Amino acid sequence: MITLNQVNIYREYQDFRIRKNLSNTDIAIACGISKQAVGEWKNEKPLIKNSYLERIAHCYGDERFMLAAFCYRHEIPSSFLTILNRYNDNPLAMLVGTQSEDAESDEAIQSLLNYLSKPKDTIKKDDLAVPVIEMLETGAFMFLSAMRVLKDQNIKVNQVWR
């Protein structure tokens, strides 16, 4: 089984396809490749390119798969995927959650400023872990909250800039 930092992207990919009821043709169109090439991904080989994972995730707007692809690409542990379960599955709850996470992120930024103002050779990796994780969580919440609002309003991301 191929996993990268605990995120099994093949399992996430298969679960995503089941959730969305997608065929090889659907995935092929999203990636701009043949359906035969997509068919080869079911056996965990060949490796699915990051660019394909991102195209698929954004094409179908599946929050879990978007976050899984992000975690896979950046080697973030799969435990990060649990942030999707912190708040109710509606845009208002996500906005409230985002505001709460943002307040915690402000504290994290202050901690980072304090750590980073010290001489570089005195900074410990462990001191940076908690504030950096908090900032990543806040960023993910903001992104997912915005995506959920757009989904709820039936608006595609690229339509926001028009």
Side-chain angles (χ1 to χ4, degrees):
M1 179 180 345
I2 296 173
T3 59
L4 182 58
N5 205 19
Q6 303 170 358
V7 174
N8 184 334
I9 199 63
Y10 288 96
R11 188 190 71 222
E12 294 291 341
Y13 170 72
Q14 292 302 330
D15 291 348
F16 158 73
R17 285 191 59 171
I18 291 167
R19 275 193 306 277
K20 296 291 186 179
N21 193 29
L22 298 172
S23 68
N24 286 356
T25 302
D26 296 326
I27 299 294
I29 290 169
C31 295
I33 59 175
S34 72
K35 65 181 181 180
Q36 291 80 9
V38 172
E40 294 176 10
W41 294 346
K42 64 184 170 195
N43 297 322
E44 298 188 11
K45 292 183 183 183
L47 189 64
I48 304 172
K49 292 181 181 178
N50 285 330
S51 61
Y52 294 155
L53 293 172
E54 291 171 5
R55 285 184 200 171
I56 295 165
H58 291 290
C59 182
Y60 293 103
D62 186 271
E63 293 168 353
R64 167 97 187 179
F65 193 67
M66 278 191 249
L67 195 54
F70 177 80
C71 289
Y72 177 76
R73 180 175 189 156
H74 297 284
E75 301 182 26
I76 297 171
S78 60
S79 60
F80 194 72
L81 296 173
T82 63
I83 68 170
L84 291 169
N85 304 329
R86 288 191 190 166
Y87 300 96
N88 290 335
D89 193 26
N90 67 64
L92 183 57
M94 281 299 287
L95 285 173
V96 170
T98 299
Q99 192 170 29
S100 173
E101 296 290 332
D102 189 39
E104 292 174 15
S105 186
D106 288 344
E107 292 175 29
I109 290 170
Q110 188 60 50
S111 291
L112 278 175
L113 287 171
N114 291 337
Y115 290 132
L116 296 175
S117 66
K118 297 177 183 178
K120 196 170 191 171
D121 59 343
T122 65
I123 299 172
K124 297 176 189 150
K125 186 171 103 176
D126 292 343
D127 292 339
L128 301 178
V130 171
V132 166
I133 289 170
E134 185 57 49
M135 291 175 62
L136 283 170
E137 287 179 353
T138 300
F141 259 102
M142 288 187 174
F143 173 77
L144 293 170
S145 181
M147 296 301 288
R148 197 165 284 175
V149 166
L150 292 175
K151 183 179 179 181
D152 186 65
Q153 298 299 312
N154 238 3
I155 301 170
K156 292 185 178 195
V157 175
N158 64 352
Q159 293 174 323
V160 174
W161 280 275
R162 291 184 187 171

